[in-house]
Amino acid sequence: MTFQDLTDGGKAAMAEALAVLESAPDAPQTIGLLDTAYAAPRAQVVGITGPPGVGKSTLLGALIPKLRESGRTVGVIAVDPSSRQTGGALLGDRLRLMTDPEDTGVFVRSMAARDRLGGLAELTVGGMLLMRAVFDVVLIETVGVGQSETDVAWVADTVVFCVQPGSGDSLQFMKAGIMEIPDLAVVTKADMEAAQRTKADLKAALAHQRRRDGWTVPILPVGAQKGSGIAPLMEAIDRHRDWLGEAGRLEARRHANAKLWFREALTTRFGREGVKRAEMLGCRMNLDRGDAPYERLADLSAAIVD
């Protein structure tokens, strides 16, 4: 499949490309497709994260039709727990999101988390790059694993952190180790009595986080089942997109994210000792602007194995 095939082929082409990514991730054609997609970003990538049961899928189900009403195409990656028997997405076979199958502007793909502890599937980055080159908005729902759920910060342009009422005080939020990653904070199930207290706890937790980029994290109450708060959330997502578009912030963030992912990919493939040996051999292990990351991974793999 060529990049032109992907961009012109609609949902069927995206499904085929993702199938090839899963079955032959290291094939030269796959590497070329991923690197071309990496260099041709189109979408804003929004990560939806938070503990299990917080209502991430419900929030996605409310966001998608509103995004479609605004004329934007939407790609969705829903990362699910893994089946112990098959290794596949445990929830991938059921209807998670009520989307119109005839709507060519929405594409939903479930991915199994397998043994990853960061809330994402191993193939999420590649899937995101393919979708980012095709759609206007890409939504990534993490699996919901609490304290380990931080990988989304180096995949998404905008991170939405969800908390439900009654889930703990500000100290517990800070202990979770994820209060430094959100760009937007959402209190789900906002019609519950404890919602105001949770909003106050979130505000206190965020006050301890000193962001060096100057962005102030808004806290938004949302009742996704009734559709309340969705419009303000979309406006906040758009504001963050516009803010990133100023002063080269978006390019800088994406490059920083790519460098983190690249280093993680090297460590996953070769281990820390393998990376150290490659550095001792003089291999360039970082990712510079303009590099094709998947081609560089393949070249380093060949060098380290040899």
Side-chain angles (χ1 to χ4, degrees), residues 166-175 197-198 200-202 204-205:
S167 57
D169 60 14
S170 59
L171 180 60
Q172 293 303 314
F173 286 129
M174 287 185 285
K175 282 182 178 178
R197 168 62 188 275
T198 301
D201 288 339
L202 262 177

Side-chain angles (χ1 to χ4, degrees), residues 16-98:
E16 180 184 349
L18 291 172
V20 170
L21 173 62
E22 188 164 8
S23 63
D26 297 323
Q29 186 178 17
T30 307
I31 290 171
L33 181 61
L34 288 168
D35 280 336
T36 303
Y38 172 80
R42 170 180 170 182
Q44 178 187 15
V45 181
V46 180
I48 311 291
T49 190
V54 75
K56 298 187 293 292
S57 293
T58 305
L59 181 60
L60 279 180
L63 269 174
I64 291 169
K66 293 297 183 182
L67 288 166
R68 294 295 293 127
E69 288 174 12
S70 71
R72 284 175 272 192
T73 57
V74 183
V76 180
I77 297 175
V79 183
D80 287 324
S82 304
S83 167
R84 290 183 180 271
Q85 294 183 349
T86 68
L90 188 62
L91 306 179
D93 292 333
R94 73 171 173 85
L95 185 61
R96 294 177 51 111
L97 302 169
M98 297 298 292

Side-chain angles (χ1 to χ4, degrees), residues 53-294:
V54 75
K56 298 187 293 292
S57 293
T58 305
L59 181 60
L60 279 180
L63 269 174
I64 291 169
K66 293 297 183 182
L67 288 166
R68 294 295 293 127
E69 288 174 12
S70 71
R72 284 175 272 192
T73 57
V74 183
V76 180
I77 297 175
V79 183
D80 287 324
S82 304
S83 167
R84 290 183 180 271
Q85 294 183 349
T86 68
L90 188 62
L91 306 179
D93 292 333
R94 73 171 173 85
L95 185 61
R96 294 177 51 111
L97 302 169
M98 297 298 292
T99 59
D100 181 0
E102 301 299 322
D103 186 353
T104 59
V106 178
F107 182 91
V108 180
R109 173 64 184 266
S110 291
M111 292 184 177
R114 297 185 179 170
D115 58 349
R116 285 199 62 86
L117 297 179
L120 300 181
E122 183 178 357
L123 299 176
T124 301
V125 173
M128 177 275 290
L129 293 176
L130 296 176
M131 290 191 187
R132 189 178 70 176
V134 173
F135 298 104
D136 298 320
V137 179
V138 174
L139 302 174
I140 300 176
E141 177 194 353
T142 67
V143 72
V145 290
Q147 295 185 11
S148 299
E149 196 163 337
T150 55
D151 282 2
V152 71
W154 43 263
V155 174
D157 303 324
T158 301
V159 177
V160 179
F161 173 58
C162 300
V163 177
Q164 64 182 340
S167 57
D169 60 14
S170 59
L171 180 60
Q172 293 303 314
F173 286 129
M174 287 185 285
K175 282 182 178 178
I178 53 180
M179 289 312 300
E180 62 190 39
I181 71 169
D183 301 298
L184 312 174
V186 167
V187 179
T188 61
K189 308 172 187 178
D191 54 344
M192 295 176 64
E193 291 184 4
Q196 287 301 316
R197 168 62 188 275
T198 301
K199 183 177 180 179
D201 288 339
L202 262 177
K203 184 176 182 181
L206 288 166
H208 289 82
Q209 301 298 329
R210 297 183 178 180
R211 292 184 61 129
R212 288 176 290 182
D213 58 9
W215 171 259
T216 300
V217 179
I219 302 173
L220 303 145
V222 171
Q225 287 189 333
K226 297 180 179 179
S228 63
I230 297 300
L233 174 58
M234 285 184 56
E235 291 171 2
I237 290 172
D238 289 346
R239 281 200 308 275
H240 189 249
R241 176 201 62 201
D242 294 342
W243 179 82
L244 284 173
E246 300 171 356
R249 294 188 186 106
L250 179 59
E251 182 182 358
R253 178 164 185 159
R254 284 179 171 172
H255 181 59
N257 288 350
K259 288 170 66 177
L260 288 172
W261 161 77
F262 186 77
R263 190 74 180 189
E264 174 70 13
L266 287 172
T267 304
T268 299
R269 289 193 180 199
F270 309 113
R272 297 186 184 280
E273 291 304 316
V275 171
K276 287 181 181 178
R277 285 198 301 271
E279 289 175 333
M280 291 175 63
L281 291 172
C283 295
R284 181 169 64 89
M285 307 301 286
N286 61 309
L287 188 71
D288 293 336
R289 278 187 168 88
D291 282 345
Y294 285 88

